Amino acid sequence: MIVIDDRLLLMVLSERQDTELDRRLGDALATGGVFTTGSWYWRLARAAGASSMGSLSRALSALPEDAQQSVKTALARLPHEIGMMHPRDLVPVMRDLRGHPNLLTAEAVASAVVLDATILVTTESALLNRIATATGVPVEIV
Amino acid sequence: MSAMGEEFDLLVARTRRELEARGELRPPKTGPLHLDLPDSVRSALREDLASGAYDRAVKETTGDDPDLNE
């Protein structure tokens, strides 16, 4: 079981099989083993509509209006094949984490500890490493 | 007992049991996605990831929010 960050979530949504990492994520999807968090999902949903996403903006503008809307909807809605824990279950665990995690870190570590999962990220984070280590949750940077 | 102590371990175990009882220890569906995105969009997403455009977009939309940054 893995809990993935927003960049990996974007890789999953692009549904490519270009790399070894793509195949690893695809295998995990096939067995219902991919979760993400509300913070990472929120970060992706907001960033996907930003002007900095130059390639995406150009690709969208080349599509008919209705297709543009379909793509925007698809990117904004988390597919059911990707799990996300409900705050009702997560917050009590987040509350008891030691070390003053921020929201993003608390959600990730709490999700991983309940799911007995590894956190898979693309960026090194001292805060995430510290809180995850204190909680016994593995973090892998890919 | 984990490094977090007995109370925390009991909380985690209880949460897992409740999730399992509701069938929520796995996502609602399994298997590959079927988003039906055009190839041009799939490629564009990868380009924006590789070029750093996605990271700039995150910076643009989350700013210095301490709760949403690593």
Side-chain angles (χ1 to χ4, degrees), chain A residues 63-87:
Chain A
L63 297 174
E65 187 74 40
D66 54 347
Q68 287 186 36
Q69 199 47 55
S70 293
V71 168
K72 288 176 185 174
T73 300
L75 292 177
R77 297 176 69 173
L78 192 70
H80 291 297
E81 290 84 355
I82 297 168
M84 190 165 66
M85 286 184 60
H86 196 283

Side-chain angles (χ1 to χ4, degrees), chain A residues 5-8 11 21 120-124 140-142:
Chain A
D5 72 8
D6 50 332
R7 295 178 97 256
L8 293 172
M11 282 185 71
L21 179 56
L120 218 62
V121 292
T122 52
T123 308
E124 178 112 48
E140 189 181 332
I141 302 167
V142 294

Side-chain angles (χ1 to χ4, degrees), chain A residues 23-71:
Chain A
R23 287 183 280 280
R24 179 181 175 184
L25 293 170
D27 289 347
L29 258 183
T31 56
V34 180
F35 275 71
T36 192
T37 68
S39 295
W40 276 327
Y41 173 33
W42 165 238
R43 212 163 71 167
L44 168 58
R46 293 204 64 198
S51 58
S52 304
M53 296 279 283
S55 296
L56 178 61
S57 300
R58 284 188 294 276
L60 280 174
S61 64
L63 297 174
E65 187 74 40
D66 54 347
Q68 287 186 36
Q69 199 47 55
S70 293
V71 168

Side-chain angles (χ1 to χ4, degrees), chain B residues 1-69:
Chain B
M1 190 169 71
S2 78
M4 292 291 289
E6 190 175 350
E7 261 188 56
F8 185 81
D9 290 349
L10 287 172
L11 170 63
V12 169
R14 184 170 66 243
T15 305
R16 268 194 207 135
R17 275 197 309 273
E18 289 170 1
L19 285 171
E20 191 159 32
R22 300 198 309 256
E24 291 176 16
L25 271 182
R26 292 281 175 190
K29 289 172 74 174
T30 56
L33 306 182
H34 295 291
L35 296 182
D36 296 326
L37 295 175
D39 282 344
S40 59
V41 170
R42 294 171 200 267
S43 297
L45 291 174
R46 289 300 173 108
E47 282 164 22
D48 281 334
L49 268 175
S51 70
Y54 177 74
D55 297 328
R56 288 191 292 279
V58 168
K59 195 84 181 152
E60 181 186 326
T61 50
T62 64
D64 294 322
D65 188 336
D67 267 326
L68 290 176
N69 284 284

Side-chain angles (χ1 to χ4, degrees), chain A residues 126-139:
Chain A
L127 179 60
L128 177 63
N129 286 344
R130 182 163 50 80
I131 305 300
T133 299
T135 317
V137 166
V139 176

